[in-house]
Amino acid sequence: MYVLFLHFQILGAVILGFGIWILADKTSFIAVLQMSSPSLKTGAYVLIGVGALTMMMGFLGCLGAVNEIRCLLGLYFTCLIIILLAQVAAGLVIYFQKETLKEELFHIVKDLITDYDPLNEDERNLRGAWDYVQTQISCCGWTGAKDWEDNGILFNKSMTQYPCSCSNRSKDLEEQGGFCNLDEPVNGTATYHDWPVHEQGCMDGVEQWLKDNLAVILGVCTGVAVIELMGMILSISLCKNIHSEDYTKVPKS
């Protein structure tokens, strides 16, 4: 029994840590979304709140079980069912709004690429996060290198420069971001076809990562739901047992 409540403490700590990680991360694709989309930042605060609430519920559930306090067990059950329903609702929203979310993601990255400026210190963290994504996934742009044609700086340079983080040459990656110069532009102009960059867009890389890790994600979500259901069943059982013991303790006339 106490092991299950301990699991809730651990589960709450994991959820809390995940929310903090989203806010603190500055070098991954999550950082790009977090710095560009207020909804993800709000979601991170929600995760922190849920994690803290789950840890508190684990403590209250254990306290209620040890001291046979029915109101604490009832509060524990109520909070668990609210958390479970919220998780199901979030999953349904993501599933039915996935095309809308995909479109929003496209515009976020598109604006980032269009406004990318190595000299803009205010956007350094966001720029560094996107460079990290392109380097790690070995991709260029969101749908492909053509996306970079919308960047004003590259356009003014007649496309004779290209993003270093897109490059498939190790010497360019040592620059850690910014733009690299094309070796031999034809007549002082070029197109993205002339760049020594990866052909794959980052959208394909992100989708492939999600497909590769879908089983793990579903497994974790299922495990969390099972633990929550077990906690609900346990709290109901304890409440009934406490209720029965109260009646047995009533002196017979």
Side-chain angles (χ1 to χ4, degrees):
M1 177 180 67
Y2 302 111
V3 174
L4 184 60
F5 290 123
L6 177 62
H7 284 168
F8 272 96
Q9 295 287 88
I10 297 173
L11 177 63
V14 170
I15 296 174
L16 178 66
F18 186 61
I20 294 173
W21 171 71
I22 290 176
L23 292 177
D25 183 28
K26 302 299 180 185
T27 59
S28 71
F29 188 66
I30 292 294
V32 175
L33 299 180
Q34 186 257 117
M35 286 184 274
S36 304
S37 175
S39 57
L40 185 66
K41 186 175 290 188
T42 302
Y45 286 118
V46 171
L47 285 175
I48 292 173
V50 169
L53 180 62
T54 303
M55 292 180 67
M56 184 178 70
M57 286 302 100
F59 173 75
L60 291 179
C62 186
L63 187 65
V66 170
N67 296 287
E68 298 185 346
I69 304 174
R70 293 185 63 202
C71 63
L72 285 181
L73 290 173
L75 178 62
Y76 176 73
F77 173 82
T78 303
C79 288
L80 275 184
I81 197 168
I82 291 174
I83 292 173
L84 183 60
L85 290 174
Q87 290 171 346
V88 172
L92 291 174
V93 168
I94 292 173
Y95 179 78
F96 288 109
Q97 298 292 321
K98 57 184 178 182
E99 291 302 322
T100 303
L101 295 173
K102 189 175 181 179
E103 186 70 18
E104 180 184 356
L105 184 56
F106 169 78
H107 289 297
I108 288 173
V109 178
K110 194 76 171 177
D111 291 341
L112 190 161
I113 291 174
T114 300
D115 300 332
Y116 186 100
D117 181 359
L119 299 180
N120 186 350
E121 289 298 315
D122 294 335
E123 300 289 337
R124 182 174 59 181
N125 289 336
L126 183 59
R127 191 172 64 247
W130 182 242
D131 286 330
Y132 179 84
V133 170
Q134 293 192 135
T135 302
Q136 292 300 309
I137 301 181
S138 298
C139 59
C140 192
W142 186 238
T143 59
K146 192 178 190 310
D147 293 342
W148 283 96
E149 288 185 337
D150 295 329
N151 181 272
I153 295 175
L154 294 180
F155 181 80
N156 292 332
K157 294 283 187 180
S158 299
M159 309 300 287
T160 57
Q161 291 185 335
Y162 57 93
C164 297
S165 57
C166 280
S167 179
N168 52 26
R169 303 189 300 188
S170 57
K171 69 173 185 177
D172 291 335
L173 298 178
E174 295 175 0
E175 297 293 331
Q176 296 182 348
F179 295 135
C180 292
N181 293 311
L182 196 61
D183 292 336
E184 298 179 359
V186 180
N187 298 323
T189 62
T191 68
Y192 73 93
H193 293 291
D194 301 312
W195 295 346
V197 298
H198 299 289
E199 295 182 2
Q200 175 184 257
C202 295
M203 178 180 68
D204 295 333
V206 172
E207 288 182 349
Q208 187 59 47
W209 180 87
L210 288 173
K211 289 178 181 177
D212 293 341
N213 294 274
L214 184 60
V216 176
I217 295 172
L218 289 176
V220 171
C221 292
T222 302
V224 169
V226 169
I227 292 176
E228 289 171 344
L229 286 172
M230 290 176 62
M232 292 166 61
I233 294 171
L234 177 62
S235 61
I236 292 175
S237 300
L238 289 174
C239 277
K240 288 183 177 180
N241 289 337
I242 293 172
H243 185 69
S244 300
E245 289 177 4
D246 289 343
Y247 275 106
T248 57
K249 291 176 183 178
V250 176
K252 297 180 180 180
S253 56

